[in-house]
Amino acid sequence: MTATLYGYAFLDEFVLLYPLYALLFSDTGLTVGQISFLFALWSVTAVVLEVPSGALADAVSRRLLLWLGPLLTAVGFTLWVLTPSYWAFALGFVLWGVGGALGSGALEALVYEELDRLGAADDYARVMGRARAAGLVAVMAAMGLAGPVFALGGYPAVGAASVLACLLTAATASRFPERRSPAAGSASWAGTLRSGLAAARTDRPVMASLLLVALVASVWGALDEYTPLLVRDTGVPGWAAPYLLLLIWAGATTGSLLAGVGERLGRTGFAALLGGSALALAAGALARTPAGLVLVAVAFGGFQLANVLADARLQRRIDDTGRATLTSVAGLGTELVTVAVFGGYAAVVSSTGHSTAFAVFGVPYLVTALVMAAGGTERGRRKP
């Protein structure tokens, strides 16, 4: 299963259109406003379908959803390249959003339950850390190959390569083992949705884990979108910027690979990881130098590690019957907080700058670390 997972994670992110689709929209004649609307449509689709698709993954075959999602994305990319227009781009983003929602929650639930059946649930963080590292490596590889492929065949060649990656992702998903027997039907779907949402409201440990996943994943995930602007503000020439961005991505990849070691961290160790990463982010950003970006890479590695560990903590606390639903609730929380961070970042950067904004958004992590450390200390004092 792990070989299938790593292949799936790599192929799912090996999309050569990633660094070029905004240029495709612009070259087709879309305005900035129209492009922004497309991005918003993509996000809204994911937000609306996140939790219902998770409930669906608890009611039907998760492997089926992981196979279907990339096929819908492939159709969207095909529309973009064959009939480039505003409405084709909009439909493509809806299909991409639906495809992503089908896999969100389903993948984590399938992997955890299959590992649990093998008596290897404790390996979940290490396995998922490696899978996410494979995805990050795929993004970096796609960034490197997009330029040469575009030079050879333009948008049609890049689009064809992206569609092929989606088809290979679907083919790989069909090889996932799945020994559960989901109950089919709309009644089952509605029941899993209700029970999952009830658990999110009433189970305090689960609620705490959901909030932790949403916070850890969202803030640095939103900041990642602004790293090119942070790099540019260090004064490096344009040709050097991609290499510094790769440095930051390499930091996040390293964090994923350390998930097995990170599993040994207790509550206090996790708090120290968050707090140390927050301080590294602030120091690296405020340095306003290329050397300072090394600390930003270290911070992103720490946040990525914390992200994997928080997800593993959530999976251990979920009842198997609503695993995908609750994982999708965490995904919904992440999306909503990410949108809030985008708005807050725009407000902060308008009066300060990118380096200060990065430092400011390290504060939520620092506060979370202090709260977790205090909670660990209090529990320690109550022990006999």
Side-chain angles (χ1 to χ4, degrees):
M1 185 196 68
T2 54
T4 301
L5 173 64
Y6 301 153
Y8 178 90
F10 182 91
L11 291 168
D12 191 44
E13 297 291 347
F14 189 64
V15 178
L16 271 62
L17 272 171
Y18 277 169
L20 295 173
Y21 61 73
L23 298 178
L24 170 62
F25 302 158
S26 179
D27 290 346
T28 305
L30 270 62
T31 66
V32 174
Q34 289 175 316
I35 294 174
S36 297
F37 177 82
L38 292 175
F39 290 159
L41 179 64
W42 187 20
S43 297
V44 168
T45 302
V47 167
V48 169
L49 296 179
E50 182 74 40
V51 176
S53 67
L56 183 64
D58 281 328
V60 302
S61 168
R62 292 163 182 164
R63 179 173 57 197
L64 173 64
L65 299 184
L66 293 173
W67 170 80
L68 180 60
L71 294 182
L72 293 177
T73 305
V75 173
F77 289 162
T78 301
L79 288 173
W80 285 5
V81 175
L82 294 183
T83 59
S85 64
Y86 179 74
W87 293 110
F89 296 147
L91 180 56
F93 265 129
V94 170
L95 291 171
W96 194 358
V98 174
L102 290 177
S104 178
L107 179 64
E108 293 86 351
L110 184 149
V111 171
Y112 187 89
E113 291 185 5
E114 291 302 316
L115 287 174
D116 192 36
R117 284 183 174 83
L118 296 172
D122 290 342
D123 291 338
Y124 175 81
R126 177 179 58 82
V127 170
M128 288 303 294
R130 291 179 177 178
R132 293 180 183 180
L136 292 171
V137 170
V139 171
M140 291 188 286
M143 291 171 63
L145 287 174
V149 173
F150 180 78
L152 289 173
Y155 291 119
V158 173
S162 300
V163 170
L164 177 60
C166 292
L167 297 178
L168 291 175
T169 304
T172 304
S174 68
R175 299 181 59 83
F176 274 118
E178 186 177 25
R179 287 181 286 273
R180 64 192 288 267
S181 299
S186 59
S188 176
W189 174 84
T192 56
L193 180 60
R194 286 195 300 268
S195 62
L197 294 178
R201 291 193 305 267
T202 60
D203 191 322
R204 293 185 64 183
V206 169
M207 175 60 77
S209 295
L210 288 170
L211 292 174
L212 184 64
V213 170
L215 174 66
V216 171
S218 59
V219 178
W220 82 273
L223 292 180
D224 177 60
E225 300 295 331
Y226 300 100
T227 49
L229 302 176
L230 180 70
V231 169
R232 186 177 63 184
D233 280 1
T234 63
V236 298
W239 63 266
Y243 298 105
L244 292 174
L245 289 173
L246 286 176
L247 170 67
I248 295 174
W249 279 87
T253 304
T254 302
S256 290
L257 294 174
L258 292 175
V261 177
E263 273 280 85
R264 304 171 189 170
L265 296 175
R267 183 187 180 98
T268 302
F270 188 91
L273 173 66
L274 280 183
S277 299
L279 294 175
L281 178 69
L286 292 174
R288 297 182 177 89
T289 64
L293 295 177
V294 174
L295 286 177
V296 175
V298 170
F300 273 37
F303 294 143
Q304 174 71 338
L305 173 57
N307 192 9
V308 176
L309 297 180
D311 173 47
R313 174 177 174 169
L314 173 63
Q315 298 301 328
R316 288 194 295 267
R317 292 184 172 180
I318 296 177
D319 184 342
D320 286 347
T321 56
R323 184 173 304 281
T325 303
L326 283 168
T327 304
S328 291
V329 170
L332 174 61
T334 299
E335 292 284 349
L336 293 175
V337 177
T338 298
V339 172
V341 173
F342 283 147
Y345 188 95
V348 173
V349 80
S350 63
S351 57
T352 57
H354 294 289
S355 58
T356 303
F358 267 70
V360 166
F361 280 97
V363 173
Y365 290 116
L366 191 59
V367 172
T368 303
L370 293 173
V371 170
M372 293 188 70
T377 300
E378 289 172 2
R379 281 211 301 268
R381 288 172 181 168
R382 285 197 295 266
K383 290 181 180 179

